Coordinates of all heavy atoms in Angstrom, one line a residue:
P126 N 106.7 95.5 92.6 CA 107.7 95.6 91.6 C 109.0 95.0 92.0 O 109.7 94.4 91.2 CB 107.8 97.1 91.3 CG 106.5 97.7 91.8 CD 106.1 96.8 93.0
E127 N 109.3 95.1 93.3 CA 110.6 94.6 93.8 C 110.6 93.0 93.7 O 111.7 92.4 93.4 CB 110.8 95.0 95.2 CG 111.0 96.5 95.4 CD 109.8 97.3 95.4 OE1 108.7 96.7 95.4 OE2 109.9 98.6 95.2
A128 N 109.5 92.4 94.0 CA 109.4 91.0 93.9 C 109.6 90.5 92.4 O 110.3 89.5 92.2 CB 108.0 90.5 94.4
F129 N 109.0 91.2 91.5 CA 109.2 90.9 90.1 C 110.7 91.0 89.7 O 111.2 90.2 88.9 CB 108.3 91.7 89.2 CG 108.3 91.3 87.8 CD1 107.7 90.0 87.4 CD2 108.8 92.1 86.8 CE1 107.7 89.6 86.1 CE2 108.8 91.6 85.4 CZ 108.3 90.4 85.1
A130 N 111.3 92.1 90.2 CA 112.7 92.3 89.8 C 113.6 91.2 90.5 O 114.6 90.8 89.9 CB 113.2 93.7 90.3
R131 N 113.2 90.8 91.6 CA 114.0 89.8 92.4 C 113.8 88.4 91.9 O 114.8 87.6 91.8 CB 113.6 89.9 93.9 CG 114.4 89.0 94.8 CD 114.1 89.3 96.2 NE 112.7 89.2 96.6 CZ 111.9 90.2 96.9 NH1 112.3 91.4 96.9 NH2 110.6 90.0 97.2
N132 N 112.6 88.0 91.6 CA 112.3 86.6 91.2 C 111.1 86.6 90.2 O 110.0 86.2 90.5 CB 111.9 85.8 92.4 CG 111.9 84.3 92.1 OD1 111.8 83.9 90.9 ND2 112.0 83.5 93.1
P133 N 111.3 87.1 89.0 CA 110.3 87.2 88.0 C 109.6 85.8 87.7 O 108.4 85.7 87.4 CB 110.9 87.8 86.7 CG 112.4 87.5 86.9 CD 112.6 87.5 88.4
A134 N 110.4 84.7 87.7 CA 109.8 83.4 87.4 C 108.7 83.0 88.4 O 107.7 82.5 88.0 CB 110.9 82.4 87.4
M135 N 109.0 83.3 89.7 CA 108.0 82.9 90.7 C 106.7 83.8 90.6 O 105.6 83.3 90.7 CB 108.6 83.1 92.1 CG 107.6 82.6 93.2 SD 108.3 82.7 94.9 CE 108.3 84.5 95.2
V136 N 106.9 85.1 90.3 CA 105.8 86.0 90.2 C 105.0 85.6 88.9 O 103.7 85.6 89.0 CB 106.3 87.5 90.0 CG1 105.1 88.4 89.7 CG2 106.9 87.9 91.3
H137 N 105.6 85.3 87.8 CA 104.9 84.8 86.7 C 104.1 83.6 87.0 O 102.9 83.5 86.6 CB 105.9 84.5 85.5 CG 106.2 85.7 84.7 ND1 105.2 86.5 84.1 CD2 107.4 86.2 84.2 CE1 105.8 87.5 83.4 NE2 107.1 87.3 83.4
E138 N 104.7 82.6 87.7 CA 104.0 81.4 88.0 C 102.7 81.7 88.9 O 101.7 81.0 88.7 CB 104.9 80.4 88.6 CG 104.2 79.0 88.9 CD 103.5 78.4 87.7 OE1 103.9 78.7 86.6 OE2 102.6 77.6 87.9
F139 N 102.9 82.6 89.8 CA 101.7 82.9 90.7 C 100.6 83.4 89.8 O 99.4 83.0 90.0 CB 102.2 84.0 91.7 CG 101.1 84.5 92.6 CD1 100.7 83.8 93.7 CD2 100.4 85.7 92.3 CE1 99.7 84.2 94.5 CE2 99.4 86.1 93.1 CZ 99.0 85.4 94.3
Y140 N 100.8 84.3 88.9 CA 99.7 84.9 88.1 C 99.3 83.9 87.0 O 98.2 83.9 86.5 CB 100.1 86.3 87.5 CG 100.1 87.3 88.6 CD1 101.4 87.7 89.2 CD2 99.0 87.8 89.2 CE1 101.4 88.6 90.3 CE2 99.0 88.7 90.2 CZ 100.2 89.1 90.8 OH 100.2 90.0 91.8
N141 N 100.2 83.1 86.5 CA 99.9 82.0 85.6 C 98.8 81.1 86.2 O 97.8 80.7 85.6 CB 101.1 81.2 85.2 CG 102.0 81.9 84.2 OD1 101.6 82.9 83.6 ND2 103.2 81.5 84.1
M142 N 99.0 80.8 87.5 CA 98.0 80.0 88.2 C 96.7 80.7 88.3 O 95.6 80.0 88.1 CB 98.6 79.6 89.6 CG 99.7 78.6 89.6 SD 100.4 78.5 91.3 CE 99.0 77.8 92.2
R143 N 96.7 82.0 88.6 CA 95.5 82.7 88.7 C 94.7 82.7 87.3 O 93.5 82.6 87.2 CB 95.7 84.2 89.1 CG 96.6 84.4 90.3 CD 95.8 84.2 91.6 NE 95.6 82.8 92.0 CZ 96.5 82.0 92.4 NH1 97.7 82.4 92.5 NH2 96.2 80.7 92.7
R144 N 95.5 82.9 86.2 CA 95.0 82.9 84.9 C 94.4 81.6 84.5 O 93.2 81.5 84.0 CB 96.0 83.3 83.9 CG 95.5 83.7 82.5 CD 96.7 84.2 81.6 NE 97.4 85.3 82.2 CZ 98.6 85.3 82.7 NH1 99.3 84.1 82.7 NH2 99.2 86.3 83.3
R145 N 95.1 80.5 84.8 CA 94.6 79.2 84.5 C 93.3 78.9 85.2 O 92.3 78.3 84.7 CB 95.6 78.1 84.9 CG 96.9 78.1 84.0 CD 97.8 77.0 84.6 NE 99.2 77.4 84.4 CZ 100.2 77.2 85.2 NH1 99.9 76.6 86.4 NH2 101.4 77.6 85.0
G146 N 93.3 79.3 86.5 CA 92.1 79.1 87.3 C 90.9 79.9 86.8 O 89.8 79.3 86.7
L147 N 91.1 81.1 86.3 CA 90.0 81.9 85.8 C 89.4 81.3 84.5 O 88.2 81.4 84.2 CB 90.5 83.3 85.5 CG 89.5 84.3 84.8 CD1 88.3 84.5 85.7 CD2 90.2 85.6 84.6
L148 N 90.3 80.6 83.7 CA 89.9 80.1 82.4 C 89.3 78.7 82.5 O 89.0 78.1 81.4 CB 91.1 80.2 81.5 CG 91.5 81.6 81.1 CD1 92.8 81.6 80.2 CD2 90.4 82.4 80.4
K149 N 89.2 78.1 83.7 CA 88.6 76.8 83.8 C 87.1 76.9 83.3 O 86.4 77.9 83.6 CB 88.6 76.3 85.2 CG 90.0 75.9 85.7 CD 90.0 75.5 87.2 CE 91.4 75.0 87.6 NZ 91.3 74.6 89.1
P150 N 86.6 75.9 82.6 CA 85.2 76.0 82.1 C 84.2 76.2 83.2 O 83.1 76.7 82.9 CB 85.1 74.7 81.3 CG 86.1 73.8 81.8 CD 87.3 74.7 82.2
E151 N 84.4 75.7 84.4 CA 83.4 75.8 85.4 C 83.3 77.2 86.1 O 82.5 77.5 86.9 CB 83.7 74.7 86.5 CG 84.9 74.9 87.3 CD 86.1 74.1 86.7 OE1 86.1 73.9 85.5 OE2 87.0 73.8 87.5
I152 N 84.3 78.1 85.8 CA 84.3 79.4 86.3 C 83.5 80.4 85.5 O 83.8 80.6 84.3 CB 85.7 80.0 86.5 CG1 86.5 79.0 87.4 CG2 85.7 81.4 87.1 CD1 86.0 78.9 88.8
N153 N 82.4 80.9 86.0 CA 81.5 81.7 85.2 C 80.9 82.8 86.1 O 80.9 82.7 87.3 CB 80.3 80.9 84.6 CG 80.7 79.9 83.6 OD1 81.1 80.3 82.5 ND2 80.7 78.6 83.9
P154 N 80.4 83.9 85.5 CA 79.7 84.9 86.2 C 78.6 84.3 87.1 O 77.9 83.4 86.6 CB 79.2 85.9 85.2 CG 80.0 85.6 84.0 CD 80.3 84.2 84.0
N155 N 78.4 84.9 88.3 CA 77.3 84.4 89.1 C 76.1 85.4 89.1 O 76.2 86.4 88.4 CB 77.8 84.1 90.5 CG 78.4 85.4 91.2 OD1 77.7 86.4 91.3 ND2 79.6 85.3 91.7
P156 N 75.0 85.1 89.8 CA 73.9 86.0 89.7 C 74.2 87.4 90.2 O 73.5 88.4 89.7 CB 72.9 85.3 90.7 CG 73.2 83.9 90.6 CD 74.7 83.8 90.5
A157 N 75.2 87.7 91.0 CA 75.5 89.0 91.4 C 76.1 89.8 90.2 O 75.8 91.0 90.0 CB 76.5 89.0 92.6
H158 N 77.1 89.2 89.5 CA 77.6 89.8 88.3 C 76.5 90.1 87.3 O 76.4 91.2 86.7 CB 78.6 88.9 87.6 CG 79.9 88.6 88.4 ND1 80.1 87.4 89.0 CD2 81.0 89.4 88.6 CE1 81.3 87.4 89.6 NE2 81.8 88.6 89.4
L159 N 75.6 89.1 87.1 CA 74.5 89.3 86.1 C 73.6 90.4 86.5 O 73.1 91.2 85.7 CB 73.8 88.0 85.9 CG 74.6 86.8 85.4 CD1 73.8 85.5 85.5 CD2 75.0 87.1 83.9
A160 N 73.3 90.5 87.8 CA 72.4 91.6 88.3 C 73.0 93.0 88.1 O 72.2 93.9 87.7 CB 72.1 91.4 89.8
L161 N 74.3 93.1 88.2 CA 74.9 94.4 88.0 C 74.9 94.8 86.5 O 74.7 95.9 86.1 CB 76.3 94.5 88.5 CG 76.5 94.4 90.0 CD1 78.0 94.5 90.4 CD2 75.6 95.4 90.8
A162 N 75.1 93.8 85.7 CA 75.0 94.0 84.2 C 73.5 94.4 83.8 O 73.3 95.3 83.0 CB 75.4 92.8 83.5
E163 N 72.6 93.8 84.5 CA 71.2 94.1 84.2 C 70.9 95.5 84.6 O 70.2 96.3 84.0 CB 70.3 93.1 84.9 CG 68.8 93.4 84.7 CD 67.9 92.5 85.5 OE1 68.4 91.8 86.4 OE2 66.6 92.5 85.2
L164 N 71.4 95.9 85.8 CA 71.2 97.3 86.3 C 71.8 98.3 85.3 O 71.1 99.3 85.0 CB 71.9 97.4 87.7 CG 71.8 98.8 88.3 CD1 70.4 99.2 88.6 CD2 72.6 98.9 89.6
E165 N 73.0 98.0 84.8 CA 73.6 99.0 83.8 C 72.7 99.1 82.6 O 72.5 100.2 82.1 CB 74.9 98.5 83.4 CG 75.6 99.4 82.4 CD 76.9 98.8 81.8 OE1 76.8 97.9 81.0 OE2 78.0 99.2 82.3
Q166 N 72.1 97.9 82.2 CA 71.3 97.9 80.9 C 70.0 98.6 81.1 O 69.5 99.4 80.2 CB 71.1 96.5 80.5 CG 70.2 96.3 79.3 CD 69.9 94.9 78.9 OE1 70.1 94.0 79.8 NE2 69.5 94.6 77.7
K167 N 69.4 98.5 82.3 CA 68.0 99.0 82.5 C 67.9 100.3 83.2 O 66.9 101.0 83.1 CB 67.2 97.9 83.2 CG 67.0 96.6 82.4 CD 66.1 95.6 83.2 CE 65.9 94.4 82.4 NZ 65.1 93.4 83.2
W168 N 68.9 100.7 84.0 CA 68.8 101.9 84.7 C 68.9 103.2 83.8 O 69.8 103.2 82.9 CB 70.0 102.0 85.8 CG 69.8 103.1 86.7 CD1 70.6 104.3 86.8 CD2 68.9 103.3 87.8 NE1 70.2 105.1 87.8 CE2 69.1 104.5 88.4 CE3 67.9 102.4 88.2 CZ2 68.4 104.9 89.5 CZ3 67.1 102.9 89.3 CH2 67.4 104.1 90.0

């Protein structure tokens, strides 16, 4: 919280980069994510 109070623009840019990276079309769930979803569905 102190970082955000001190330099909110830099903190925003850091998480903006994380958000942009996550939303790239090549980023998708992998077989481990899918296996846990299957476990929830079938267990």
Side-chain angles (χ1 to χ4, degrees):
E127 293 79 13
F129 187 68
R131 183 171 60 247
N132 193 342
M135 185 176 74
V136 173
H137 272 313
E138 182 55 23
F139 178 82
Y140 290 100
N141 288 342
M142 290 172 61
R143 309 281 77 73
R144 193 177 302 108
R145 292 177 212 141
L147 175 60
L148 294 175
K149 289 179 179 179
E151 65 268 25
I152 302 298
N153 292 292
N155 63 53
H158 295 105
L159 297 171
L161 295 184
E163 180 184 13
L164 179 63
E165 179 190 77
Q166 180 183 17
K167 295 181 177 179
W168 187 253

